[in-house]
Amino acid sequence: MPRFYDTCAGPIEGLYLAPIAWEVLRRENIQTLDQLRANADQLEQFDGISDRMAELIRLALAYVAPFEEQTASTMHYDSWSA
């Protein structure tokens, strides 16, 4: 039986959350990283999201950088090795 905070991939690529979190986001019609970022400060207000779950979602969101940021970061490190 899965634990409450076990994570899995969902409809937002690169993000791994607990199944209950995916269900709440689906119910709230949050389907993209931009939508999730726009609502990150009010996650506790969604029915089914505890304070701890909201914290974990924000933490997972912090680890998912947009492609442009990843590319810029990689280019920065590449310039050090030249």
Side-chain angles (χ1 to χ4, degrees):
M1 181 170 167
R3 294 183 316 249
F4 183 70
Y5 290 117
D6 282 347
T7 61
C8 62
I12 300 176
E13 187 176 346
L15 196 62
Y16 293 84
L17 301 173
I20 187 67
W22 286 122
E23 177 59 28
V24 172
L25 295 178
R26 183 199 60 75
R27 188 181 67 230
E28 296 294 330
N29 200 31
I30 297 174
Q31 303 171 1
T32 67
L33 280 174
D34 288 339
Q35 289 173 332
L36 183 54
R37 284 187 179 109
N39 288 283
D41 61 337
Q42 54 190 332
L43 292 171
E44 292 88 352
Q45 296 174 14
F46 298 152
D47 188 33
I49 299 288
S50 66
D51 291 346
R52 177 70 177 138
M53 179 66 71
E55 181 182 332
L56 291 172
I57 293 170
R58 288 187 196 104
L59 181 62
L61 189 56
Y63 282 101
V64 179
F67 179 74
E68 297 82 25
E69 288 179 21
Q70 291 176 10
T71 302
S73 175
T74 302
M75 289 173 28
H76 180 71
Y77 290 123
D78 287 346
S79 68
W80 289 355
S81 63

